[in-house]
Structures are given as structure tokens and as C-alpha cells.
Amino acid sequence: MKDFAIFWGCTIQTRFPFLEKSTRMVLDGFNLPYRDLDGFTCCPEKSLVNNVDHGLWVLTAARNIALLDKAGVDLVSPCTGCVSNLATVNSELHLSYKEKNNVNSILNEVGLEFKGKNKLRHLVPFFHDEVGIPSIKNKIVKPFNGMRIAIHYGCHMIRPSHSLKNDDPLEPKKFDNLIRAMGAESVQHMTKLMCCGQGLDRVDQHENALHFARLKLKELKTLKADAMALCCPSCYLQFDNNQFLMEKEGEKFGIPILYFTELLGLAMGYKPEDLGLDSHRTPATNFLEKWDRLNEELSQTTELNRQLEQGFGIAQHT
Amino acid sequence: MLNLKLLEVCSKCGACYHICPSSLNMEGYDPRAVIKDIISGKHEKWLEHKSIWQCLECHYCLEICFQHYGFESAMTAMRTLAAKKGMTPPQVKRGWDMFIKTGRLGEPMASARKKLGLPEAAKSGSEDFKKIVKIYQESKKQILISKS
């Protein structure tokens, strides 16, 4: 596997360092060749920078990508927004020779050149495509059998598809496959692909942001999902923090919000507190209790199967 | 640059209304009304309207659009014009100032990192970033001068 730099992005390092912790634990657990690269800035955030100045958005992203060209490594990020922004600029520059030249004439001044030769991937498709489902299954020591988990893909993990090219933009499968590989049921729901709505908080429309969070949380509560799984710090902020704020005002949802790396880490046998689950504003207590209980039942049946298999060398009870 | 021919089709199509999360869930959000005004040259009134900031940039419209264009192009153009005139929501202004000053939207939390046992964060490229921003802004000025 080719070495890759991890692009943490501003939100994880500024607000949710525990998400960095679980990501590192999982990457270490699989012994993956990742490294921290000096010199990255904000990706930059599309809804902020691109709206104000498209040229600067392109230039800043191109500079981050040029750092990869210089180091000769791929990029993997646990933030959907970062990957989507970088990939969008990457494809825009590959399509315009003139724009690429303009960008490079500026980047040359700081000793960089945009080539865009390396892969830019989000952590979820990366685990699916590069690590692979069989290797992941091999690492699972405490599966989520019997747990009902609702996946929230997050728009920018899969869209715009002409830049990201990593899954079906309207009917993605990879996150589902990963959750199932951990033993859980992927609860299908109407708002599965709906935007989280966190962007509204960034333009001073808090009530509208809450409205979006409420739509999804209400549905998951009705469906009795045990948790929501996602892999985007912005969506995490929307569903963990805004759920907490609404519950403080008396609404009740009780849907724990778990990051992909937290779920994988738990299934690999790491302790919840080591993965940073105690830093969540919406507690995952009920989820963890049910999971413990189901695993006790599961270990009893495993023992039964072990006894049944004894003495049957070539044929087994099915 | 907006492609008015594509927007003309947009103004009559609206297939993405059935998939756009803001159209589906926010009262009064109607991108086609904005597009019709853009085509007839009456877009000015939208620049201070909250609608143009309600596009979530989820790219759903882009994916389903048979022109591969989408409402979002029009909304982004409106937001850029609004920003040029200083009509951005306060949070956008704050975020932009932070970005220009530091190249980031926040700095890693050193104490929390230590507590979690995380290594020191990689160095930010803010110095080089500031250099290229300066060159970029100079070159933009030059282009404006050469056009006038």
C-alpha cells in the first residue's frame, strides 16, 4: 500500500480532537502507512471561501495538493468536506490547462507545483476499497450483531461524483458494506441521504439547522435505531451537539452519534473511553449496554457451536 | 460565469425540487424564482435575501440534473455577488477573516491533545499561505487595471 498523509482538517483538530484519537487508533490497529504532513492549511471550506472568492479557493486547495506532489504520498481524510473540496479543485485544474498554469505561476513562488498525481480519498471509501472487507472482518473481536445502526453518509463523501468518483452519488453502498462487515444491521430510512443541514448554522440560521436535525432524529427515533453512524465532523456537530441543545430544551431523541472510526475501534476491542466516546455530548450509554448484553448472548451460542463441532471432522451441523 | 442558456432550461424544469433538501423542507425556498430574476436581469433584490444562503451545497441538484448544472451554480453566483457588496451573514464574515489571517478556521487544541495522548499537531502552512494570498491579490489588481 502506498504511503498516505492524513488530512485532519480544521474542524476535527479545533473542536473534536477525540475523533482524531479514534482515527489514529484504528489506523494503527491495521498498521497502515500513514503520516502527518507539515504545511497544510484549511482545505478550504467551500461554503465559506468559494462563495467569496473562487480563485482563492482554487489556489489554497491547489497548494495543499501540491504538498502531496512534493512528498509523493496519497491523501486520506476523515472529513467529507475536506476531501470533496480538494477533489473538486483537483478535477477543475486537470480540466483547465490555463487555470493550472496560473495557479502554478503563483505556487512556484513558494517552491511548489500542482501536479495532482496522488489519490485523494475519504476514510470510508478508503477502508472499503484499500483495506477491504475481508481484512476488516478479520480484525473484529466484538461484533455489532443485533445492533440497528442508521448510516448518514454525509453529502460530501459521495458528491460531486464527477470529482470524487468513489460511490454511487444517489445510492451509495460502501458505508453500508462496512457497517454490515462489523455485524450490524444498516437501518434503511427515508432521510438516509438527506443533507444534515449544519451549513445553516454557519450562515446564522440556527432554527433552520435545528429543523433539519430534528427531521432526521425523529425518523430514527420512530425506527428505534440504536445509533447513527457517520464520518464527517460537520454532520457530527449537527447531530451530536444540536441534539444535545434540543434535548436540553425538553425534546427527546436519545440517538447516539458514532463516528465510523469509533464503531470500528469498538468492534476491534478498544475501550469506549480510550476512543473518546466520553467526550460526546449525546451519551452512547444505552448503545454500549445493549451491545454488551448482545455480545454475552452471542458468546453463549458460540460456546454451544464449539461443543457441537467437536468430533465432526469433515461434516458439521448447520 | 453563469450560463444563461442552461439557466433558461432550469427555470422551466425544476426536476431537482423533488430531491433538494432545502426545497423540500424550508418554507419559501424557491430557487426557480431566483433564476427567473437572474435571466430577466432583476437579481439585485435577492442579494440581501436569506434564501441565497439556504442552498446547502449538497450537490444533489447537480447529480440529478440532466444538464449537469443545477440550482447551486445560480445560488453560488448570488452569494459571491452579495459577498462583494459586503452583504454576508456575520458568521461568514468572521470565518472569512479568520481564514485570511491564519489560513485555517481554528487552531488545534494543545491541552486537549495532551490529555488524549495525541502527538503534537503538524505545522500549519500559514506563512506560505499568506505569501501566495498576497501575490494572488496583487495579480487580481493587475487584471482589473488591464481591463479598465
Side-chain angles (χ1 to χ4, degrees), chain B residues 35-105:
Chain B
I35 285 170
K36 279 176 184 159
D37 282 340
I38 291 175
I39 294 168
S40 58
K42 288 181 284 189
H43 64 270
E44 202 73 20
K45 67 176 186 220
W46 290 103
L47 298 184
E48 51 190 340
H49 200 281
K50 66 177 184 188
S51 259
I52 62 169
W53 300 95
Q54 287 175 341
C55 159
L56 295 158
E57 296 178 82
C58 67
H59 310 309
Y60 239 146
C61 59
L62 185 71
E63 299 287 353
I64 206 169
C65 178
F66 72 98
Q67 307 188 102
H68 202 64
Y69 199 60
F71 284 165
E72 65 169 41
S73 316
M75 290 304 190
T76 304
M78 288 299 103
R79 286 192 294 260
T80 305
L81 284 183
K84 272 189 203 295
K85 299 193 171 191
M87 296 192 277
T88 48
Q91 275 215 69
V92 174
K93 171 83 172 68
R94 276 200 300 275
W96 172 261
D97 290 347
M98 177 91 156
F99 171 71
I100 284 293
K101 215 171 120 193
T102 66
R104 298 185 50 125
L105 300 178

Side-chain angles (χ1 to χ4, degrees), chain A residues 223-238:
Chain A
L223 291 170
K224 295 193 171 60
D226 292 312
M228 186 197 299
L230 43 72
C231 198
C232 169
S234 187
C235 306
Y236 175 82
L237 175 67
Q238 167 76 334

Side-chain angles (χ1 to χ4, degrees), chain A residues 10 14 20-21 38-42 46-48 51 53 55-56 155-156 159 161-162 169 193 201 204-205 211, chain B residues 25 54 57-60 63 68 79-80 89-92 103 105-106 108-109 113 116 122-123 125 136 140:
Chain A
C10 304
T14 307
E20 178 175 336
K21 180 78 189 297
D38 282 334
F40 286 138
T41 57
C42 177
K46 181 187 269 172
S47 66
L48 178 68
N51 281 331
D53 190 331
L56 190 53
C155 304
H156 299 146
R159 294 189 292 268
S161 60
H162 66 266
L193 294 183
D201 254 339
D204 301 278
Q205 297 192 23
H211 174 60
Chain B
N25 298 304
Q54 287 175 341
E57 296 178 82
C58 67
H59 310 309
Y60 239 146
E63 299 287 353
H68 202 64
R79 286 192 294 260
T80 305
Q91 275 215 69
V92 174
L105 300 178
M109 305 156 73
R113 298 184 69 80
L116 285 161
K123 287 190 190 75
Y136 170 73
K140 264 209 324 197

Side-chain angles (χ1 to χ4, degrees), chain A residues 15 198 201 206-207 209-210 214 217 237-253 281-282:
Chain A
R15 301 196 63 161
Q198 168 59 212
D201 254 339
H206 184 56
E207 281 310 313
L210 293 186
R214 195 178 283 121
L217 292 167
L237 175 67
Q238 167 76 334
F239 292 117
D240 185 64
N241 194 51
N242 276 347
Q243 180 177 190
F244 167 79
L245 293 178
M246 287 189 288
E247 294 211 328
K248 221 168 68 177
E249 297 296 316
E251 293 179 67
K252 284 280 163 271
F253 304 104
R281 299 197 87 177
T282 304

